Structure formats: C-alpha cells, structure tokens
C-alpha cells in the first residue's frame, strides 16, 4: 500500500467513519446532559418558562450563524479542523458555565448562561456539519448505501444524546451543578485527545479559493427541503424544550428537595427515552424505507407522506389537554403515549431529510449545502424554543401542543413544495 493510499480515508473508510462517529458521540452526550442540567437547575431556582426559553436562544441563534459559516470554513480549512474546533469550544463552554456565581442577579445569570449556551451552539453545529459531511465523502458510491450510513450516524447520535439527557438529570441530583459540569469538561477533553490521535489522515483539507458567497444554495430542492426541515424541528421543540419538561416536573414534584430530585430523574428519564427511541428509529428507517435509497423522487414523496402522518398527533394531544383542564392521570398517560408516537413518526421524517440533503449535494460543495440545511434546522429550533416558552406561559400545555401542530402543518406544505420541485428538476 502506498503512503498516499494509507492516508486516504477511502482506503479504510470504516476507520475514518468510526473516528468521526466517536467524536460526534462524545459531543452529543455532553450536549444532551448540558441541556437537562441547565433546564432543571434554573427551573429549580425559580426561572419562569419564558426565562428558561431565553437561556437557549443564543444556542439556537448561534446555530443559524454557525451553520451558514461552518460549511464555508470546512471547505476552506478542512473537515477535521472544524470537528476539533467544535469539541474545543464545547470544553470551554462547560468550563465557563462552572464559573456561574449563585450570588449573581437573575438578569446577570440569564445573560451569562445565554452567552455560554451560544458558545455551545457554535460548538454543536461545527461538530454536526463536519460529521454529516464526512459521511457523504466516506460512504461507498453507487450502491445505495448512503441512506444506511447517514441513518446509522444520525440514529446512534440521537440515542447517545438521549442518554445524555438522563445523565444530566442524574448528575444534577447526585453530584450538583458545578461538579457535573466540570466532570463533563474533563471527559470531553480526554476524548478529544484520543480522537485526534486515532483520526486517519486524508479527509478534505480545504481549498483556499473558496468564497463565502458560495454558501447560498441555488438548488430549489435543497431550499424546499431546508424549509420543511425548519418547520419540522420547530414542531418538535415547541413542546420539547420547555413545555413538557416543566409540565412533568410540576406534576411529579411535591415541592420538597427530595420531591424535586425525584422529578429530575423522571423528567430526565422520559426525555432520554424519547431521544433514544427517536435515534433507534432513525437508525432502522432505511430497512423499512427501502424505496428511498438511491431514488431521490421516492424519498421526496416519503417526506410528504410521513409529515402528513405527524401533523394530527399534536392537535389531538392539545385537544385532550384542553378537555382535561388540569393535570390528571389519564392525561399524563395519553401525553406519554402520544409523544412517543410523535417521536416515531418524527424520527422517520428526520431520517428521510438527512438522507435527501446528502443525496442532493455534490461532493464539491457538500459542506456548504449541509451547512445551509442545518442553518434552517437551527432556525426551526430557535422558532420552536421561543414559541415553547411563550405558548406555555400564555395558554399552558394545550396551546403549546397546538402550536406544534401548526408548525408540523407548515412542514407538510413545504414538503409538498419539495415534491413539486423534484418534478421540475427531473424535467430539466
């Protein structure tokens, strides 16, 4: 084997894929844990739903900006550079969060945590864009396996992030906020060193002449898919970020410190179960969506079909919450069952989207197209985060869920536009 072949990740794509996946897993474990730590810790300090939503705003705003620039940065400086940068920034964000002083005012605490969460958002999207783009480059060509490769990466990532949700809640209850944050920073630093040692050489190193104006996609399919993605994740985060965690914490806690700890575990366990289940379904989606692999038009039709199945679910749950009027056992059971069903259908939607963006992108601009697509993803999360705190504070759980239904309906309309774009694209 020549030196050039040894340094080319295509000569050993599985080793490069495993190194990229390990880095992504480590990051998403810390990302999930950090979200639950911040949400539950500051809810325990008395923050209102809208104040809790503010804590995550910079995280999502940073995602919009980062994804637009990250594709260009990877094209300019290389995929490994942006992947390592994401891990380093996350370690710094964790260390900064550990420096939060309980004596600060609520306003000062909110501003500080918003800034730290913004840095974490930058880190998350650098790592995500790098990992997803690497799959396009590493996956075998022409055998229809791209859907499987991206589904395994995305599904396993979300399962790991789900475990992070539970880990964050458990660490808060057992070790406290500051010790949990420092512990995660240390573990992530060790993993960064290990991945840097074992990462194969040869992933794209970047092109100096890449212009930042190239980040804007001229492909109508990518633009329509990005719009559908924005509303899809808005539909999820409307109930996921603030509404359901705070509702569950309120009904499972009796107001005592022991009751609060018990509620942390229950909320963390549910959120973890939801994300892990979501990741598992994403991972197996190619096995029951075989028609999508290698057929972009079939994939677009599936995107329409599955978001059409998703849209009624939050509306039904909103109606049940409105009928109940107050927390009851039957409502809680209905919410758990309904949100798990939402998670299944949502995961299939997300998996089809993740395949289509890579299928539509050419290798010469994959980082920029993926960055643009995840910019829309972050915009949806930002919109969902804002509406989560606002709708829950204004109308309670039913309005939160009804808003999620409206967002899902908008994603359906956008997916219909994608399907029409496919017809126009095939006719050219």
């Amino acid at each position: 084997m020549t030196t050039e072949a040894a340094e080319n990740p295509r000569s050993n794509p599985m080793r490069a894929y495993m190194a990229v996946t390990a880095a992504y897993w480590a990051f998403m474990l810390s990302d999930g844990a950090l979200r639950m730590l911040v949400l539950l810790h500051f809810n325990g300090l008395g923050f209102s739903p809208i104040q809790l939503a503010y804590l995550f705003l910079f995280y999502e705003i940073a995602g919009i900006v980062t994804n637009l620039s990250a594709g260009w940065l990877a094209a300019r400086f290389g995929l490994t550079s942006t992947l390592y940068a994401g891990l380093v920034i996350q370690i710094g964000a964790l260390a900064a969060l550990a420096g939060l002083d309980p004596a600060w005012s609520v306003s000062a605490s909110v501003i500080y945590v918003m800034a730290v969460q913004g840095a974490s958002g930058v880190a998350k999207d650098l790592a995500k864009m790098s990992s997803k783009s690497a799959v396009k480059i590493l996956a075998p060509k022409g055998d229809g396996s791209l859907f499987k490769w991206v589904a395994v990466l995305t599904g396993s990532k979300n399962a790991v992030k789900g475990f992070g949700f539970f880990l964050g809640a458990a660490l808060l209850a057992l070790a406290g906020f500051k010790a949990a944050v420092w512990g995660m920073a240390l573990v992530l630093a060790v993993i960064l060193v290990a991945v840097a040692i074992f990462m194969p050489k040869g992933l794209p190193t970047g092109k100096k002449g890449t212009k930042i104006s190239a980040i804007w996609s001229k492909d109508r399919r990518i633009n329509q898919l990005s719009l559908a993605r924005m509303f899809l994740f808005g539909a999820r985060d409307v109930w996921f970020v603030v509404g359901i965690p705070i509702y569950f914490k309120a009904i499972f806690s009796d107001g005592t410190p022991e009751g609060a700890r018990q509620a942390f575990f229950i909320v963390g366990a549910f959120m973890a179960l939801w994300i892990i289940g979501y990741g598992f379904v994403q991972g197996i989606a190619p096995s029951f969506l075989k028609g999508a692999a290698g057929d972009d038009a079939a994939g677009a039709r599936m995107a329409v079909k599955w978001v059409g199945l998703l849209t009624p679910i939050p509306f039904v749950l909103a109606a049940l919450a409105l009928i109940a009027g107050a927390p009851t056992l039957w409502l809680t059971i209905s919410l758990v069952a309904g949100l798990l069903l939402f998670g299944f259908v949502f995961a299939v939607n997300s998996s089809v989207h993740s395949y289509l963006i890579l299928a539509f992108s050419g290798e010469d601009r994959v980082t920029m197209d993926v960055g643009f697509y995840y910019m829309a993803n972050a915009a949806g999360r930002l919109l969902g985060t804002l509406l989560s705190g606002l709708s829950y504070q204004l109308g309670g759980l039913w309005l939160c869920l009804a808003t999620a239904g409206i967002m899902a309906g908008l994603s359906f309309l956008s997916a219909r536009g994608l399907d029409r774009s496919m017809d126009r694209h095939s006719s050219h």
Side-chain angles (χ1 to χ4, degrees), residues 39-48 51 100 102 106 109 249 264:
L39 180 68
L40 296 176
H41 176 67
F42 286 96
N43 177 245
L45 294 179
F47 281 36
S48 69
Q51 286 173 328
L100 182 70
V106 169
S109 297
K249 181 179 179 294
F264 288 163

Side-chain angles (χ1 to χ4, degrees), residues 128-203:
K128 176 189 281 188
M129 182 281 306
S130 304
S131 303
K132 294 289 181 70
S133 298
V135 173
K136 172 74 173 183
I137 293 161
L138 297 171
K141 300 294 179 284
D143 62 356
S145 63
L146 176 61
F147 194 2
K148 180 179 179 181
W149 278 55
V150 72
V152 170
L153 175 70
T154 305
S156 62
K157 174 268 293 187
N158 282 308
V160 169
K161 184 174 181 176
F163 179 70
F165 273 73
F166 179 74
L167 179 65
L171 287 173
L172 182 61
L174 298 175
F177 184 73
K178 186 166 288 192
V181 171
W182 274 120
M184 288 196 298
L186 179 62
V187 171
L188 203 57
V190 172
I191 291 172
L192 170 61
V193 172
V195 170
I197 292 171
F198 291 105
M199 180 71 77
K201 296 179 180 178
L203 284 174

Side-chain angles (χ1 to χ4, degrees), residues 99-110:
L100 182 70
D101 190 337
W104 291 348
S105 67
V106 169
S107 298
S109 297
V110 168

Side-chain angles (χ1 to χ4, degrees), residues 12-337:
N12 191 358
M14 189 53 66
R15 182 186 168 194
Y17 181 75
M18 290 175 66
V20 168
T21 301
Y24 200 27
W25 280 0
F27 184 91
M28 296 314 295
L29 182 68
S30 72
D31 188 66
L34 182 59
R35 178 168 285 263
M36 288 307 293
L37 276 168
V38 169
L39 180 68
L40 296 176
H41 176 67
F42 286 96
N43 177 245
L45 294 179
F47 281 36
S48 69
I50 194 66
Q51 286 173 328
L52 291 170
Y54 286 155
L55 295 179
F56 298 104
L57 283 186
F58 273 19
Y59 180 91
E60 306 303 351
I61 291 170
I64 296 172
V65 177
T66 303
N67 277 305
L68 276 176
S69 57
W72 172 77
L73 288 170
R76 174 68 176 77
F77 298 105
L79 279 174
T80 51
S81 298
T82 47
L83 180 61
Y84 295 154
L87 291 168
V88 169
I89 293 171
Q90 179 77 337
I91 293 167
L94 288 165
L97 197 59
L100 182 70
D101 190 337
W104 291 348
S105 67
V106 169
S107 298
S109 297
V110 168
I111 292 170
Y112 185 82
V113 176
M114 283 175 70
V116 172
Q117 286 289 97
S120 183
V122 170
K124 188 276 295 281
D125 287 297
L126 284 172
K128 176 189 281 188
M129 182 281 306
S130 304
S131 303
K132 294 289 181 70
S133 298
V135 173
K136 172 74 173 183
I137 293 161
L138 297 171
K141 300 294 179 284
D143 62 356
S145 63
L146 176 61
F147 194 2
K148 180 179 179 181
W149 278 55
V150 72
V152 170
L153 175 70
T154 305
S156 62
K157 174 268 293 187
N158 282 308
V160 169
K161 184 174 181 176
F163 179 70
F165 273 73
F166 179 74
L167 179 65
L171 287 173
L172 182 61
L174 298 175
F177 184 73
K178 186 166 288 192
V181 171
W182 274 120
M184 288 196 298
L186 179 62
V187 171
L188 203 57
V190 172
I191 291 172
L192 170 61
V193 172
V195 170
I197 292 171
F198 291 105
M199 180 71 77
K201 296 179 180 178
L203 284 174
T205 55
K207 297 178 181 177
K208 292 184 178 180
T210 304
K211 296 180 180 179
I212 196 166
S213 59
I215 58 178
W216 301 104
S217 176
K218 296 179 176 64
D219 190 328
R220 182 178 172 85
R221 299 172 304 164
I222 289 174
N223 294 333
Q224 285 293 146
L225 177 63
S226 298
L227 191 63
R229 183 75 171 189
M230 181 181 78
F231 289 123
L232 180 69
F233 270 75
R236 194 278 303 268
D237 279 15
V238 163
W239 64 263
F240 189 83
V241 173
V242 174
I244 287 295
I246 300 309
Y247 174 82
F248 280 168
K249 181 179 179 294
I251 63 174
F252 290 124
S253 175
D254 58 8
T256 65
E258 292 77 16
R261 279 194 292 272
Q262 175 181 300
F264 288 163
F265 275 109
I266 294 173
V267 173
F270 174 76
M271 304 301 278
L273 175 64
W274 195 94
I275 290 285
I276 290 169
Y278 161 55
F280 175 76
V281 173
Q282 277 188 309
I284 64 170
S287 65
F288 60 90
L289 293 176
K290 291 184 173 65
D295 187 340
D296 299 351
R301 288 192 295 272
M302 286 180 183
V304 176
K305 172 186 173 182
W306 283 91
V307 76
L309 294 173
L310 182 76
T311 302
I313 298 172
F315 282 124
V316 171
L317 295 178
L320 293 177
L322 191 59
I323 291 167
T328 61
L329 179 61
W330 70 263
L331 176 61
T332 301
I333 292 172
S334 299
L335 287 171
V336 170

